Amino acid sequence: QVRLAESGGGSVQAGGSLRLSCATSGYTDSWKYMAWFRQAPGKEREGLAAIYPLGGVKLYADSVKGRFAISKDNAESTMYLQMNSLKPEDTAMYYCATAADYRAPNLWLLPSAYPYWGQGTQVTVSS
């Protein structure tokens, strides 16, 4: 059974940084597609960054490009999201997700493309 567990969230002032971690377990196949999402109260879940580890390909949403960086440590089976220059509008619950089957690149930032999700970690950015 695939399990994902996020950590690293917290409260930070605008301009600060946080690094989120997503610990993974239960995969018997090579890691395929992984991604970070966030959801603020009253808003839809938003895709932020995706990574295809086997191909070394990364994809970012325009809202976080240049500020956030996704990475994965295959040895530790952990995915990371380095978040810099945080803004109050980055306040949300952050989730990691993964999928083992093929996903076309145009799907990588869509929540519907991922069957496995973590429970989320809260990020709060104050002005």
Side-chain angles (χ1 to χ4, degrees), residues 20-67:
L20 305 183
S21 299
C22 174
T24 62
S25 63
Y27 252 90
T28 57
D29 197 355
S30 300
W31 294 101
K32 296 292 179 65
Y33 308 90
M34 301 192 71
W36 285 98
F37 293 81
R38 69 185 178 191
Q39 189 166 18
K43 295 189 176 181
E44 294 186 352
R45 192 162 294 191
E46 175 189 13
L48 304 175
I51 186 169
Y52 177 46
L54 292 181
V57 181
K58 302 175 183 179
L59 183 67
Y60 294 96
D62 289 342
S63 59
V64 302
K65 195 174 296 182
R67 297 191 299 126

Side-chain angles (χ1 to χ4, degrees), residues 7-13 18 20 83 86 91-92 121-126:
S7 62
S11 297
V12 64
Q13 288 191 327
L18 284 173
L20 305 183
M83 306 187 296
L86 284 164
T91 296
T121 185
Q122 177 68 37
V123 172
T124 302
V125 184
S126 59

Side-chain angles (χ1 to χ4, degrees), residues 55-127:
V57 181
K58 302 175 183 179
L59 183 67
Y60 294 96
D62 289 342
S63 59
V64 302
K65 195 174 296 182
R67 297 191 299 126
F68 292 9
I70 189 172
S71 62
K72 187 176 183 299
D73 184 332
N74 290 326
E76 296 182 357
S77 298
T78 301
M79 180 176 66
Y80 301 97
L81 185 68
Q82 178 66 44
M83 306 187 296
N84 300 324
S85 302
L86 284 164
K87 306 174 182 179
E89 50 264 44
D90 293 320
T91 296
M93 185 71 78
Y94 283 68
Y95 300 90
C96 60
T98 188
D101 300 324
Y102 173 75
R103 296 289 187 272
N106 65 319
L107 301 179
W108 290 3
L109 294 181
L110 296 181
S112 58
Y114 297 87
Y116 304 108
W117 292 82
Q119 294 300 308
T121 185
Q122 177 68 37
V123 172
T124 302
V125 184
S126 59
S127 57

